[in-house]
Amino acid sequence: MSRTTLGSVSDLVLRADAVLAAERLAPDEPAEDFGRLRGHFALHLRGDDVHLLVRDPLGVNKLFFALGPDGEIDSSNHLVDLVRAGHRPARIWSVPSGHLVRIWPRARRLVLEKHSALAFADDAPADAAALPSHAARIRARLDATFRALQPLLAGRPVYVTLSGGLDSTAVAALAKLHLERFVDRFVGITFSVRDESSEPEAEPGTDGYYARRVAEGLGIPLELVELSADALPDLVDEVLLAGQDFRDFNVHCGLVNAALARAIAARTPPGSARPVVLTGDTMNELMADYTPVSYGTSQYYALPRLGPGRLRRFLVSGLDTGDREVGVFARHGVDTIQPYALHPEVYTALPGAFLELEGSKQRLGRLVMGDLVPSFIYERPKVRAQVGGSNKVGGTLAALVDRGIDAVALERRFCQLTGFAPDELKRWIRAGFYRFTATYPEEQRFQ
């Protein structure tokens, strides 16, 4: 058995609370064995006659494949790698999140199997008496996760993204508690868009203001990455390709990470250990904590009209697509770990009715984190990272829209960069999933 090296994305495979070497996995293992794994992984394992492609439960790491002219299976974490290798976009497929694909090329056979399914407590009542028990389980799982990361991150520079929000602050607090003494360097990092109309980074309400207060409160150094609004369009092509998505929400988020990734790469001396970034991503999906944003005369980031419990299921499944964190950071040689995504089941077990309560995330956060998170963070209004502040809409959203780079322009540019025809692109992402197949690709037509 051999394992294919996929692009430049590192795999983090956990069994229970221990890091598991992917080389110990075999292509003939039953699907239920992979269902016991957690982490960020996208693996292509090769046996004598069979290929196994398997992807993590949330789809944090992406995995695409295509058939070569000789029947060989080509795979990559990055769609563009396969396009550049000569595969037409219409003949490239994704392994869906939480699934595995076994392919026997000589027999022209493919089997798609689901190995993981999250249980959602959509219809459970909001039992206030049970909330402390939920919080205790979440905290125990988070502590165990960070302890499991200690040997993996030992001696490496570790950055934690700080937006001054609850999710990233909690990650920073837990990382300081469990990781700081093991790593080579532990630093907070935050991003700001600067132009003549933007608020100064130190002004109350901005992400930079809150990030500095968090860093001071936790006692960790903070690095500010600033980029002018006029410079942001230069990053769009990179984000479209590395982020593997053309939708404006993911592009706007990806621009923040592209600026951070470039800064981290510039701070990493040649030959030194590969840096790692810890982020608070996936918590918004797990808690259905998204709302549309109005700017000018338009509304951005519209959502289905669903209650929070069912919206959570929709948002979590949508993690299958878009690579705005892992893919963008990997392009610059930075590994990404999203601690909340390593054990999502403790969050999906929260009753759907609880998510409907005003301030549910803050209430849960206080029970899980207590005084480890500075008290002012629990009171801060929710702000999208791509908006940049509480007082007005700015950030990467405003920078692109003000320069005429809207959703239509992003879609058109993605087609130019990848070779998709517009009608093909409409079928590439459907209902939050990349296009996949359940039968041998040679027998498929693009529908």
Side-chain angles (χ1 to χ4, degrees), residues 212 254 307:
R212 286 196 181 282

Side-chain angles (χ1 to χ4, degrees), residues 255-287:
L255 288 168
V256 174
N257 294 329
L260 295 175
R262 287 187 173 203
I264 292 172
R267 290 160 168 75
T268 304
S272 60
R274 188 175 171 104
V276 179
V277 64
L278 301 175
T279 82
D281 294 295
T282 73
M283 179 59 91
N284 287 329
E285 287 82 3
L286 291 165
M287 295 289 292

Side-chain angles (χ1 to χ4, degrees), residues 118-182:
L118 283 170
F120 289 85
D122 291 342
D123 300 319
D127 183 358
L131 188 57
S133 296
H134 281 294
R137 283 193 292 273
I138 290 170
R139 180 56 189 272
R141 195 60 56 87
L142 285 170
D143 286 335
T145 295
F146 276 88
R147 286 194 297 269
L149 294 175
Q150 288 170 355
L152 182 73
L153 303 185
R156 300 175 68 179
V158 172
Y159 294 80
V160 59
T161 59
L162 282 176
S163 66
L166 177 56
D167 302 337
S168 64
T169 300
V171 168
L174 289 167
K176 180 175 175 63
L177 178 67
H178 291 289
L179 300 177
E180 186 179 32
R181 66 186 182 276
F182 293 94

Side-chain angles (χ1 to χ4, degrees), residues 93-131:
W93 314 85
S94 170
V95 177
S97 53
H99 284 72
L100 59 84
V101 173
R102 297 185 210 268
I103 306 175
W104 294 265
R106 282 189 283 186
R108 296 164 59 88
R109 181 177 171 226
L110 180 149
V111 174
L112 175 69
E113 300 177 76
K114 192 173 186 67
H115 66 71
S116 295
L118 283 170
F120 289 85
D122 291 342
D123 300 319
D127 183 358
L131 188 57

Side-chain angles (χ1 to χ4, degrees), residues 126-265:
D127 183 358
L131 188 57
S133 296
H134 281 294
R137 283 193 292 273
I138 290 170
R139 180 56 189 272
R141 195 60 56 87
L142 285 170
D143 286 335
T145 295
F146 276 88
R147 286 194 297 269
L149 294 175
Q150 288 170 355
L152 182 73
L153 303 185
R156 300 175 68 179
V158 172
Y159 294 80
V160 59
T161 59
L162 282 176
S163 66
L166 177 56
D167 302 337
S168 64
T169 300
V171 168
L174 289 167
K176 180 175 175 63
L177 178 67
H178 291 289
L179 300 177
E180 186 179 32
R181 66 186 182 276
F182 293 94
V183 303
D184 174 64
R185 188 167 179 246
F186 181 61
V187 183
I189 192 165
T190 193
F191 172 75
S192 176
V193 177
R194 296 291 294 133
D195 65 10
E196 292 182 359
S197 64
S198 65
E199 299 169 298
E201 173 269 328
E203 183 173 325
T206 62
D207 285 356
Y209 169 82
Y210 279 100
R212 286 196 181 282
R213 289 190 65 187
V214 167
E216 291 168 1
L218 296 180
I220 61 175
L222 179 69
E223 296 184 3
L224 171 66
V225 177
E226 257 187 335
L227 204 62
S228 74
D230 287 332
L232 278 172
D234 294 338
L235 297 180
V236 168
D237 283 3
E238 170 185 326
V239 171
L240 287 170
L241 288 178
Q244 314 202 92
D245 200 346
F246 51 86
R247 294 168 294 178
D248 55 3
F249 177 86
N250 284 327
V251 173
H252 296 163
C253 291
L255 288 168
V256 174
N257 294 329
L260 295 175
R262 287 187 173 203
I264 292 172

Side-chain angles (χ1 to χ4, degrees), residues 65 93-94 96 101 110-112 434-441 444:
F65 69 94
W93 314 85
S94 170
V101 173
L110 180 149
V111 174
L112 175 69
Y434 287 122
R435 181 173 175 268
F436 59 90
T437 179
T439 59
Y440 194 71
Q444 285 272 341

